[in-house]
Amino acid sequence: MTTIDTQEKRDTRIARSTLIVMVAFAAAKIVSLMQTVIVAQRFGIGRDWDTYVAADSVSGLIFTLISGGALSYAFIPIFSGFLARDDREGAWKLASNILNVVFLFALVVSAAIFIFAVPIARMVAPGFEPAAQEQTANLLRILLLSTIILSVSGIVMGILQSHNHFLTPALAPVMLDLGILFGVVFLIQPLGVYGIAWGTVLGMALHLGIQIPTLLRVRPRWHPTLGFSNPVLWRVFRLMLPRIAGLGLFLFNFQLAINIASRMSEGAVSAFSWGWKLMQIP
């Protein structure tokens, strides 16, 4: 096989993968827009959605800083490097270490936030009345389950992308929105705004579940170790730091906006949330 033939096959594979991601991303945006319209029609600009947005912002902050874009940014190049050198043992050892450490850290942090959910809600939304702060805390406790699941699912997504599997990772956000839609359609009537929270947990479970069959195809090897003695693990964490700094500043501004909006009239946090969601679609 000539070098030109090899390059053509590589270009074709890249083009095909790009098309898959584009189509899946477009589908995710369509489902997300549909979900946004349905939820907005149900809750509008009011205190129930204010409390959900405040609670979701905290769970989203935890995920982003622990295993969101910062971890993928650092993990995928190093993991892919192991695969390129055909060092599958080193690759799966690193993946196992990252998965175990991140899951354990997410579990411990979520447990602490579960216990101190009420004072955290007061800090995030000081303008809410006590009943709304209590509801924010209860919603946060439910959403912490989705944070723990997503801490694992985000790593699985990076593993699959490193193996050039892009379809199921691209479809995972669609499953999240479908889970939320299920909560809107079937759980709001009996549970109110808590139905959205449980729908989010269901969506996160689907986010992970749709990727599991593809993960099994790449023959994963899990090592039950934290790997604190593994220098590559610390290299990944060091590479995360600049990204965490950038994301942290952005998320601080977002939290500050919610904090300020909570001191305004009822529905201000909701209005900010709907505007933000619509701005993300284009």
Side-chain angles (χ1 to χ4, degrees), residues 51-97:
T51 60
Y52 178 86
V53 171
D56 187 56
S57 70
V58 177
S59 65
L61 173 64
I62 299 168
F63 164 73
T64 302
L65 293 181
I66 293 177
S67 61
L71 182 57
S72 297
Y73 178 82
F75 169 70
I76 291 177
I78 297 179
F79 184 77
S80 298
F82 277 106
L83 296 179
R85 296 191 298 272
D86 201 27
D87 184 2
R88 292 183 58 82
E89 183 64 25
W92 288 117
K93 182 179 179 181
L94 173 64
S96 298
N97 293 160

Side-chain angles (χ1 to χ4, degrees), residues 27 81 97 100 104 131 137 141 143-144 210 225 249 279-281:
N97 293 160
N100 296 339
L104 181 62
R141 291 185 175 114
L143 291 171
L144 287 172
I210 194 175
T225 59
L249 181 61
M279 188 181 75
Q280 298 308 300
I281 293 173

